[in-house]
């Protein structure tokens, strides 16, 4: 089924751009710093920023421990229709992000001299590193809070505010870093980045004044809930931790075996690898949907959403690989290398990284998917793709082919990780439910899901099939008639309230032994049709109110800026 012909496909597509910007924003921000440093201060300044790559990864690791798990727990509780518990996870995420920011500042302030001695910085680069470090402490505090707010505003469905915050972050950094660099050099670049993060956080805060804001801060700090957050965060958070370790080991390896002259190229390679987080954005667009389905225990919805994810990463990977292969020489010109030989080698390194984009995307997506049910498998995938396989392949290429082809190791590593990861999954869990491993869903609690391009004709056609399904599942005529009338009146009310707008309805029926549930989602105008105190504007609304009065077991929850109604019937 095409992505534009389903409710979940349209929701996934509508969130994709914002999600991709969200996960790439911090890395693009650092990339901007590198470009400004290279063009305004020279190659030594660019190499100096490469020493901060592991430190930024540590900050993003700590930040992800809060934001990723909080998003997962928040979405799952919404799927279970437990809004109060979801709000508690939101409140806890803000408290934890501020605490982690303070912890990062203290750790980096105390450990400054140890880090400088460990990094073995060249004398000509030390001044640049020292100047950047002062304002870097401000980033260590601000980034966790900014990232957590971005994730939670995003999961609340406010993509406009998220996009505005990214514009403030990235455009602000370009303008402010250039201006501040002109006056204060390397320190000015860091100051411009700090101000841009503050601007982004201020824009995100405006979401709480919006009409459809459903985020509610509740002071909450519970060790069991924190453990749940950490559990669901570990896969993506460990991606940053393992990359920090990998970058640290690579810096030492290049310094001792290849030479510090390659650090400017290595810095670009780090950025190419880090920008692969755009595929985390593909997952982030699907994650709220999948976690809602998990909360509902709707495996049909999970499978359908993952089909859209697979097709998206396939197309995006091919596009990214093609771009890197064809435009590598143009990308090197951005950094203004002093020698033509260095520029040619940098273009080769970029192309080498490009060949491994597709397997890299696949491993990262399925690592994120399995974190909920199979955390060990998720952890293993991330370990392989972010640390073990790149380290082995780069060292092997340098040992057997020499310095000239060492960059091919970065492109070969994702293929090794994909093969090793798939082999481990088949060995541990077998091939029967490969690769999603959804066997834990009970066949007795079976879901029937149907998408409707909402028109009177399509609604009537669906009701015919719905009636046949209830007959087949031995539902009494009384319950069948009530359910059909409810869907008809609710569907027509949504249609009439959204005249001139294309609206998709997803109707899911969960059949159990003695009863069944109906979950109706729509992407139309926000309205709670279970609210008995809403104004009756016509005959159709009068009938809906009458149905809601007699239908005792009903719930409504605004979920990621779309409507979700749940009804329970006895068979």
């Amino acid at each position: 089924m095409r992505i534009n012909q389903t409710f979940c496909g349209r929701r996934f597509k509508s969130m994709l751009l914002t999600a991709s910007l969200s996960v790439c924003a911090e890395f693009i921000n650092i990339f901007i710093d590198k470009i400004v440093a290279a063009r305004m201060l020279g190659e030594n300044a660019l190499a100096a920023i490469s020493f901060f790559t592991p430190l930024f990864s540590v900050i993003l690791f700590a930040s992800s421990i809060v934001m990723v798990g909080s998003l997962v727990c928040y979405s799952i509780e919404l799927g279970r229709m437990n809004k109060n518990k979801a709000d508690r996870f939101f409140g806890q995420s803000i408290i934890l992000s501020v605490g982690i920011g303070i912890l990062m500042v203290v750790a980096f302030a105390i450990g400054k001299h140890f880090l400088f001695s460990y990094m073995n910085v060249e004398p000509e680069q030390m001044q640049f590193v020292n100047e950047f470090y002062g304002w870097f402490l401000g980033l260590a505090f601000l980034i966790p809070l900014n990232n957590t707010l971005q994730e939670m505003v995003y999961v609340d469905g406010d993509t406009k505010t998220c996009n505005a915050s990214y514009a403030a972050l990235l455009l602000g950094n370009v303008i402010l870093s250039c201006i501040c660099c002109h006056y204060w050099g390397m320190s000015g670049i860091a100051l411009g980045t700090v101000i841009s993060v503050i601007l982004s956080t201020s824009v995100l805060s405006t979401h709480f004044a919006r009409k459809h804001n459903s985020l509610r801060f509740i002071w909450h700090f519970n060790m069991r809930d924190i453990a749940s957050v950490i559990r669901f965060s570990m896969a993506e958070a460990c991606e940053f931790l393992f990359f920090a370790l990998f970058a640290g080991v690579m810096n030492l390896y290049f310094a001792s075996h290849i030479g510090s002259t390659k650090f400017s190229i290595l810095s670009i390679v780090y950025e190419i690898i880090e920008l692969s987080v755009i595929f985390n954005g593909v997952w982030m667009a699907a994650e709220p949907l999948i976690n809602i389905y998990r909360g509902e225990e709707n495996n049909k919805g999970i499978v359908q959403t993952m089909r859209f994810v697979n097709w998206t990463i396939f197309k995006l990977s091919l596009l990214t690989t093609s771009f890197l292969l064809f435009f590598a020489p143009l990308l090197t010109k951005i950094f203004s290398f002093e020698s033509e030989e260095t520029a040619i080698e940098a273009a080769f390194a970029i192309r080498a990284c490009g060949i491994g984009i597709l397997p890299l995307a696949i491993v990262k997506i399925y690592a994120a998917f399995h974190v909920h049910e199979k955390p060990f498998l998720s952890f293993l995938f991330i370990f392989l793709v972010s640390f073990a396989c790149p380290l082995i392949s780069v060292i092997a290429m340098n040992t057997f082919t020499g310095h000239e082809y060492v960059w091919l190791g970065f492109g070969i590593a994702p293929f090794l990780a994909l093969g090793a990861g798939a082999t481990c999954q088949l060995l541990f869990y077998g091939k029967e439910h490969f690769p999603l491993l959804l066997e834990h869903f009970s066949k007795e609690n079976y879901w029937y899901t149907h998408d409707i391009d909402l028109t009177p004709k399509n609604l009537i056609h669906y009701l015919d099939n719905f009636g046949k399904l209830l007959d087949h599942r031995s539902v009494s005529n009384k319950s069948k008639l009530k359910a059909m009338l409810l869907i008809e009146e609710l569907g027509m009310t949504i249609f009439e309230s959204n005249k001139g707008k294309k609206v998709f309805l997803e109707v899911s029926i969960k059949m159990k032994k003695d009863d069944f549930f109906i979950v109706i989602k729509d992407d139309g105008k926000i309205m709670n049709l279970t609210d008995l105190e809403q104004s009756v504007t016509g005959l159709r609304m009068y009938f809906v109110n009458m149905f809601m009065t007699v239908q005792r077991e009903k719930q409504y929850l605004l979920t990621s800026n779309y409507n979700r109604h749940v009804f329970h019937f006895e068979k």
Side-chain angles (χ1 to χ4, degrees):
M1 186 172 285
R2 292 182 179 179
I3 193 168
N4 288 324
Q5 294 178 341
T6 65
F7 169 82
C8 71
R10 284 162 59 90
R11 292 298 304 172
F12 168 67
K13 188 175 179 181
S14 71
M15 304 288 269
L16 188 56
L17 175 61
T18 303
S20 300
L21 285 173
S22 175
V23 295
C24 290
E26 289 302 332
F27 296 105
I28 295 174
N29 226 23
I30 300 168
F31 193 63
I32 289 169
D33 288 349
K34 290 185 176 182
I35 293 173
V36 174
R39 297 193 70 88
M40 298 186 71
L41 300 175
E43 283 188 29
N44 281 328
L46 172 61
I49 293 183
S50 70
F51 286 105
F52 285 91
T53 298
L55 305 188
F56 276 113
S57 292
V58 169
I59 295 172
L60 293 174
F61 163 73
S63 175
S64 293
I65 285 179
V66 175
M67 68 177 187
V68 176
S70 296
L71 183 149
V72 172
C73 292
Y74 183 87
S75 299
I76 289 175
E77 293 304 328
L78 288 183
R80 294 169 178 165
M81 303 298 286
N82 191 345
K83 183 63 168 64
N84 182 265
K85 186 65 178 291
D87 288 336
R88 291 178 184 274
F89 276 112
F90 168 66
Q92 181 176 263
S93 71
I94 300 300
I95 296 168
L96 289 175
S97 63
V98 172
I100 283 179
I102 295 171
L103 184 64
M104 289 289 101
V105 171
V106 172
F108 285 128
I110 295 173
K112 178 180 178 180
H113 296 294
F114 170 77
L115 289 170
F116 278 23
S117 60
Y118 167 78
M119 290 190 295
N120 195 24
V121 183
E122 297 290 333
E124 61 270 20
Q125 297 165 3
M126 177 57 78
Q127 181 183 350
F128 292 119
V129 173
N130 206 22
E131 289 178 7
F132 195 89
Y133 203 92
W135 288 108
F136 168 77
L137 296 178
L139 292 173
F141 173 75
L142 291 168
I143 286 175
L145 178 60
N146 180 263
N147 286 357
T148 299
L149 276 176
Q150 283 179 347
E151 294 274 323
M152 299 310 295
V153 171
Y154 164 80
V155 80
D156 203 35
D158 189 359
T159 55
K160 290 183 179 179
T161 299
C162 287
N163 291 337
S165 76
Y166 304 141
L169 180 70
L170 302 179
L171 294 179
N173 193 23
V174 170
I175 297 168
L176 292 168
S177 291
C178 289
I179 294 173
C180 295
C181 180
H182 178 75
Y183 289 102
W184 299 293
M186 194 71 160
S187 180
I189 295 176
L191 174 60
T193 307
V194 168
I195 297 173
S196 69
V197 176
I198 293 173
L199 288 174
S200 173
T201 305
S202 301
V203 172
L204 288 167
S205 299
T206 64
H207 170 75
F208 299 102
R210 293 177 68 91
K211 180 181 178 181
H212 296 305
N213 164 47
S214 66
L215 297 174
R216 299 289 182 270
F217 180 86
I218 296 177
W219 186 272
H220 182 68
F221 193 87
N222 180 276
M223 295 307 298
R224 181 175 293 180
D225 289 340
I226 291 173
S228 296
V229 167
I230 293 173
R231 175 195 170 193
F232 295 137
S233 295
M234 285 311 295
E236 191 166 331
C238 282
E239 179 180 343
F240 298 117
L241 178 62
F242 286 137
F243 183 73
L245 292 173
F246 172 71
V249 173
M250 277 294 101
N251 285 349
L252 290 174
Y253 182 77
F254 268 65
S256 59
H257 290 79
I258 298 175
S260 59
T261 56
K262 304 291 186 182
F263 271 121
S264 57
I265 300 175
L266 184 62
S267 179
I268 296 174
V269 169
Y270 286 156
E271 286 304 313
I272 298 298
I273 295 172
E274 287 181 318
L275 286 174
S276 68
V277 295
I278 191 172
F279 299 106
N280 293 17
V282 175
W283 169 251
M284 185 176 166
E287 187 174 26
L289 287 164
I290 288 177
N291 287 332
I292 294 296
Y293 288 131
R294 276 183 169 139
E296 297 171 347
E297 299 182 348
N298 184 349
N299 60 324
K300 292 291 185 68
I302 294 174
V303 170
Q304 182 166 258
T305 306
M306 284 304 295
R307 288 196 190 105
F308 298 138
V309 171
N310 291 336
W311 181 234
T312 301
I313 62 171
F314 177 75
K315 291 190 294 183
L316 187 58
S317 297
L318 293 184
L319 182 64
T320 305
T321 298
S322 301
F323 178 82
L324 293 175
L325 292 178
F326 286 108
F327 295 101
L330 183 62
L331 293 174
T332 62
K333 294 184 184 300
I334 297 175
F335 295 93
S336 301
F337 288 109
E338 295 174 1
S339 69
E340 184 66 23
E341 183 181 347
T342 304
I344 291 172
E345 187 174 357
F348 175 75
I350 291 171
R351 285 169 170 153
C353 292
I355 63 176
I357 293 295
L358 179 58
L360 177 63
I362 293 172
V363 176
K364 291 177 76 169
I365 287 291
Y366 280 87
F369 177 83
H370 287 302
V371 70
H372 186 269
E373 308 294 344
K374 302 289 187 294
F376 170 75
L377 187 62
S378 177
F379 181 85
L380 178 63
F381 282 4
I382 291 298
F383 173 73
L384 289 171
V385 80
S386 298
F387 183 76
C389 291
L391 188 64
I392 292 169
S393 59
V394 170
I395 293 175
M397 288 302 298
N398 184 53
T399 302
F400 296 111
T401 64
H403 302 347
E404 185 178 353
Y405 296 103
V406 68
W407 311 110
L408 283 173
F410 291 96
I412 294 170
F415 290 96
L416 294 178
L418 178 61
T423 301
C424 289
Q425 182 174 340
L426 290 170
L427 287 174
F428 296 155
Y429 301 103
K431 64 180 180 179
E432 184 178 357
H433 299 285
F434 182 87
L436 296 181
L437 303 177
L438 295 176
E439 71 278 6
H440 57 282
F441 286 104
S442 171
K443 291 183 179 179
E444 189 174 322
N445 296 340
Y446 202 78
W447 283 90
Y448 298 88
T449 300
H450 193 88
D451 291 279
I452 307 169
D453 181 356
L454 191 55
T455 64
K457 181 180 178 181
N458 291 342
L459 184 61
I460 291 170
H461 178 70
Y462 170 73
L463 288 171
D464 289 340
N465 294 328
F466 177 71
K468 293 175 183 176
L469 169 65
L470 296 190
D471 287 336
H472 177 69
R473 298 290 301 206
S474 303
V475 175
S476 66
N477 285 331
K478 180 181 178 181
S479 294
K480 169 187 164 183
L481 182 61
K482 283 176 62 178
M484 291 181 68
L485 286 173
L486 180 66
I487 293 175
E488 180 181 1
E489 294 302 326
L490 191 142
M492 287 304 301
T493 300
I494 295 171
F495 174 76
E496 292 175 359
S497 300
N498 292 274
K499 286 185 177 179
K501 178 183 177 182
K502 195 177 187 69
V503 176
F504 266 75
L505 217 64
E506 180 188 275
V507 183
S508 299
I509 301 97
K510 182 181 183 180
M511 286 291 180
K512 301 180 77 172
K513 185 177 181 180
D514 300 315
D515 55 1
F516 63 99
F517 292 83
I518 298 176
V519 181
I520 301 175
K521 302 170 186 172
D522 74 86
D523 55 6
K525 176 183 175 183
I526 301 300
M527 53 182 179
N528 178 7
L529 295 178
T530 66
D531 183 7
L532 301 179
E533 296 182 1
Q534 63 184 320
S535 59
V536 177
T537 56
L539 185 60
R540 183 79 63 186
M541 187 63 75
Y542 173 78
F543 281 126
V544 169
N545 264 23
M546 191 170 65
F547 278 118
M548 296 304 166
T549 302
V550 298
Q551 180 64 36
R552 293 182 179 180
E553 297 186 70
K554 58 184 179 294
Q555 281 183 291
Y556 169 84
L557 190 59
L558 178 61
T559 305
S560 294
N561 211 34
Y562 64 82
N563 298 302
R564 188 158 65 106
H565 295 83
V566 180
F567 305 98
H568 176 231
F569 295 89
E570 298 293 333
K571 276 192 174 182

